Amino acid sequence: MRLRRQRTPYNSDDALIPLINVVFLLLVFFMVAGTITAGDAFRVEPARIAAEARKEAAEGRRVLLVGADGRYAFDGETFDRDALGEHLARAVQAAADRGQALQPLAVKTDAAAPAGAAIAATEAARLAGFPGVVLLVQRVPK
């Protein structure tokens, strides 16, 4: 007696299972490999930490202090915003008269100082002729 193999009816959905597996594997691959967040519009360098800035200030960099009340201190003199440009221009001229290379200006701002005071300091330094501005910041403990 010969046994016949019983045939199962053909189901077209059975052919889709490998395709579904491949699609899910691709989905997982792209979720792991890809990043869906938008990138920055331009490169931003983080602010320097206070320890590095203190070392640079000790190497001859000039420091402009911005107080909580919006007053400024530079070379031992205290003044207000109106005299800021004049003091910085004098420092640039004095360096030029001595033939010294001008370092970027270090700006140390009090945390309670108005933001406009720090912005005015960086703008005045640029107009006076400083080659750059370094903002002195303090590292926040984690």
Side-chain angles (χ1 to χ4, degrees):
M1 165 168 174
R2 220 168 182 180
L3 295 175
R4 260 193 209 183
R5 201 178 326 170
Q6 199 173 18
R7 292 190 172 227
T8 57
Y10 178 74
N11 189 354
S12 63
D13 292 340
D14 291 342
L16 289 178
I17 292 175
L19 178 64
I20 292 170
N21 289 341
V22 169
V23 168
F24 278 119
L25 284 173
L26 287 173
L27 177 67
V28 169
F29 171 76
F30 286 116
M31 285 174 53
V32 171
T35 305
I36 303 178
T37 60
D40 293 335
F42 52 87
R43 186 167 185 217
V44 177
E45 289 293 325
R48 297 173 183 224
I49 63 171
E52 283 181 38
R54 269 191 235 117
K55 182 184 87 171
E56 289 175 356
E59 294 172 354
R61 180 162 291 165
R62 310 290 290 274
V63 179
L64 173 69
L65 300 175
V66 182
D69 57 356
R71 292 187 314 147
Y72 300 91
F74 186 70
D75 285 342
E77 294 182 55
T78 303
F79 48 91
D80 60 357
R81 187 182 286 195
D82 297 333
L84 176 62
E86 176 188 333
H87 278 82
L88 296 179
R90 266 192 286 159
V92 170
Q93 186 61 41
D97 291 343
R98 288 189 301 256
Q100 292 177 331
L102 199 58
Q103 296 276 336
L105 178 68
V107 178
K108 187 175 185 179
T109 306
D110 189 281
I119 293 170
T122 58
E123 183 67 17
R126 185 185 64 80
L127 291 174
F130 279 93
V133 174
V134 175
L135 297 176
L136 304 183
V137 296
Q138 188 173 12
R139 179 182 283 184
V140 178
K142 291 183 181 180

